[in-house]
Amino acid sequence: MSFPHQRPRRLRSTPAIRRLTAEFRLDPAELILPAFIREGLSEPAPIASMPGVVQHTTDTLKRAAAQAVELGVGGIMLFGVPLLRDATGSASLDPDGVLNKAIRDVRAEVGNELVVMSDVCLDEFTEHGHCGVLDSQGRVDNDATLEIYGQMAVEQARAGAHMLGPSGMMDGQVAVIRQALDEAGFQDTSIVAYAAKYASAFYGPFREAVDSQLTGDRRTYQMDAANRREALLEVELDLEEGADIIMVKPAMSYLDILADVAAMSPVPVAAYQISGEYAMIEAAAANGWIDRRRSIEESVLSIKRAGANMILTYWAAELAGWMKNR
Ligand code: PBG
């Protein structure tokens, strides 16, 4: 009689066997590179809390997009940092504003070879840093914000974005954007809905990346980390409103949410490995505390395993390069 009867270790015994039996593997086509462009720069500006990530100039953004195409990356998500901000974020509606111009420039560079996505949110454009406009008492005014989102979406679609990413967590934002797009003739522009987006401390480095003016927090509109069931409500609402793709964000502290959403969503599911997740791994690796490459690969693979069909990650290009050379 021999023990044990079952030996799962057999399938772990060589790299080739492990490769053959892997349940999940990453592909560059499912990665989306978030990228920042800052108005008025003559050189790319490093972001201290995100080593390796920069605020781009037009030139370096176009180069990054072209490189993403070469590497087989699936998409790029654009965020703009304007020179001037005001109470209503009006630079977001300017066809020549930093983000709309960046969309045009990137589309001219990549055509349809890369899915061009853009952030529909006011936080980069408002002087107070909130994702919407404020009412007379300083609260974020949901419905007044929706009106602007609709116009912003149309400008981004006109600039050439294939997909729009409303990230502001206003109630009804997907419906308003869908209607505005359809009325303007952009029936084919898709919506990647930030559906389950949590108020997270891990967005910290992003605030530096977009030079955020925010004081306080976003807890009156982004979800509470204590809630799991509520994510399904947010997703169902966005689906009803016409979301083409559903996003969960952040990713790593919310893999349970991602798994829940992946189990019920009839549309593709995206997850955003955010700035703080990037920063933590880079910082630990820089200290020699973890193996950088293995930690990056493991972290992104875990997001895929939890159910993401596509992953936004600041390592998208680097990961794609590793996959190419594998
Ligand atoms: C809002 C937005 C944020 C991020 C993406 N879109 C910031 C926030 O909600 O506070 C964060 C992304 C990251 O941390 O990498 N426009």
Side-chain angles (χ1 to χ4, degrees):
M1 177 135 161
S2 80
F3 278 99
H5 293 303
Q6 302 233 3
R7 293 185 182 274
R9 286 187 56 194
R10 269 186 216 117
L11 298 188
R12 298 172 201 147
S13 51
T14 73
I17 293 174
R18 292 196 293 273
R19 188 178 63 206
L20 179 71
T21 57
E23 295 177 47
F24 294 92
R25 62 190 95 238
L26 293 169
D27 189 291
E30 67 202 350
L31 300 179
I32 298 161
L33 177 69
F36 306 102
I37 177 160
R38 177 165 191 172
E39 192 171 18
L41 284 183
S42 51
E43 292 292 320
I47 300 163
S49 53
M50 301 178 73
V53 180
V54 300
Q55 294 175 325
H56 283 290
T57 66
T58 300
D59 267 4
T60 64
L61 178 65
K62 281 161 62 176
R63 244 178 286 150
Q67 188 205 27
V69 171
E70 223 147 88
L71 291 165
V73 167
I76 190 165
M77 174 67 86
L78 302 174
F79 296 92
V81 186
L83 262 180
L84 298 174
R85 300 179 162 95
D86 60 20
T88 59
S90 57
S92 67
L93 302 182
D94 179 354
D96 296 317
V98 60
L99 181 53
N100 293 326
K101 182 176 173 303
I103 296 167
R104 224 169 255 120
D105 291 339
V106 169
R107 267 309 295 281
E109 182 74 27
V110 304
N112 288 325
E113 300 293 302
L114 184 68
V115 180
V116 177
M117 310 178 177
S118 52
D119 189 49
V120 181
C121 191
L122 285 174
D123 65 315
E124 291 94 355
F125 295 96
T126 52
E127 62 198 7
H128 44 73
H130 274 294
C131 294
V133 291
L134 306 183
D135 67 14
S136 56
Q137 290 165 72
R139 296 172 305 198
V140 174
D141 186 332
N142 193 88
D143 298 11
T145 301
L146 292 183
E147 236 168 88
I148 302 176
Y149 282 180
Q151 297 169 38
M152 202 177 167
V154 170
E155 287 309 325
Q156 295 185 3
R158 190 168 286 137
H162 294 106
M163 296 187 175
L164 306 183
S167 65
M169 287 300 279
M170 295 301 121
D171 292 335
Q173 62 186 11
V174 172
V176 162
I177 289 170
R178 184 71 270 155
Q179 187 181 348
L181 290 173
D182 289 355
E183 281 172 9
F186 296 107
Q187 283 85 355
D188 290 335
T189 306
S190 305
I191 299 175
V192 182
Y194 287 65
K197 178 174 178 182
Y198 286 83
S200 174
F202 297 110
Y203 299 145
F206 183 91
R207 303 275 156 86
E208 184 196 346
V210 299
D211 189 23
S212 173
Q213 307 299 302
L214 185 71
T215 53
D217 58 54
R218 308 194 194 285
R219 289 174 192 274
T220 67
Y221 43 106
Q222 297 179 347
M223 288 177 62
D224 191 317
N227 294 349
R228 181 168 182 174
R229 196 190 304 284
E230 188 188 4
L232 300 182
L233 172 64
E234 286 283 5
V235 167
E236 275 164 6
L237 290 173
D238 281 6
L239 288 170
E240 276 168 33
E241 291 178 29
D244 299 284
I245 295 173
I246 287 291
M247 195 197 297
V248 173
K249 178 184 177 186
M252 288 173 73
S253 298
Y254 297 85
L255 294 178
D256 55 333
I257 309 300
L258 180 55
D260 287 353
V261 168
M264 59 74 85
S265 176
V267 303
V269 175
Y272 197 144
Q273 185 181 44
I274 58 160
S275 58
E277 302 175 39
Y278 177 90
M280 286 191 292
I281 290 176
E282 288 290 351
N287 276 292
W289 296 337
I290 57 175
D291 181 291
R292 181 174 180 275
R293 177 167 170 172
R294 286 184 54 207
S295 302
I296 292 170
E297 289 174 334
E298 182 177 330
S299 69
V300 177
L301 186 60
S302 74
I303 297 168
K304 168 116 185 226
R305 192 190 61 232
N309 301 112
M310 58 193 86
I311 300 165
L312 293 96
T313 173
Y314 298 97
W315 290 302
E318 189 171 11
L319 270 164
W322 292 340
M323 293 175 211
K324 210 168 185 175
N325 298 324
R326 192 159 49 194

